[in-house]
Amino acid sequence: MPPGGAGAGGPGSLTVDITSPIAVAGHASTAVSCQSTARRYVESGTTTVNGRTVSQSVRVIGYNGPGSYPAVITVSVVAPESGRYAIDAVPATVDITSAGGSMSFSTSTTAGPTLAGSITWACSG
């Protein structure tokens, strides 16, 4: 597992900037699981920002240390006032550091609207 590092808020944190179909932006300390074994990298975390729950995960095959990788990502946003928006197993490029990583996305959800934004994570120590 990569060591915890100084993300935007230190080890164990997510910085969320969702721009569509609803706006969710902020930073929160939360458990962020990061594991790398046998050339695989798996990361996941969930947090609540401005009353909206954001869950995300990243899977990389062929992981070889920090760098940019093609990945499969899953992101969901649950907003009490407007419902749930999710993308599941979508290809994306992620940037992974020794402390965490980041991803950007813009993909149509199964319900129709495009879920777009970026998420930066700092692995829990």
Side-chain angles (χ1 to χ4, degrees), residues 16 19 25 37 50 53-54 64 67 81-82 96 100 107 111-112 114:
V16 176
T19 57
T37 58
N50 301 327
T53 302
V54 178
N64 227 1
E81 73 281 2
S82 59
I96 300 173
T107 304
T114 297

Side-chain angles (χ1 to χ4, degrees), residues 2-123:
S13 62
L14 292 174
T15 303
V16 176
D17 186 14
I18 307 292
T19 57
S20 173
I22 59 173
V24 181
H27 174 82
S29 294
T30 188
V32 178
S33 172
C34 300
Q35 300 176 358
S36 60
T37 58
R39 298 184 39 84
R40 294 183 62 154
Y41 179 90
V42 179
E43 177 273 337
S44 63
T46 299
T47 193
T48 300
V49 176
N50 301 327
R52 297 168 176 127
T53 302
V54 178
S55 298
Q56 54 79 237
S57 67
V58 170
R59 284 178 287 158
V60 172
I61 302 297
Y63 179 71
N64 227 1
S68 291
Y69 291 93
V72 175
I73 66 168
T74 298
V75 179
S76 72
V77 178
V78 178
E81 73 281 2
S82 59
R84 181 178 188 268
Y85 304 98
I87 55 176
D88 187 34
V90 172
T93 298
V94 299
D95 293 314
I96 300 173
T97 68
S98 61
S102 63
M103 65 177 166
S104 295
F105 48 89
S106 182
T107 304
S108 294
T109 65
T110 54
T114 297
L115 181 60
S118 63
I119 297 175
T120 301
W121 65 90
C123 302

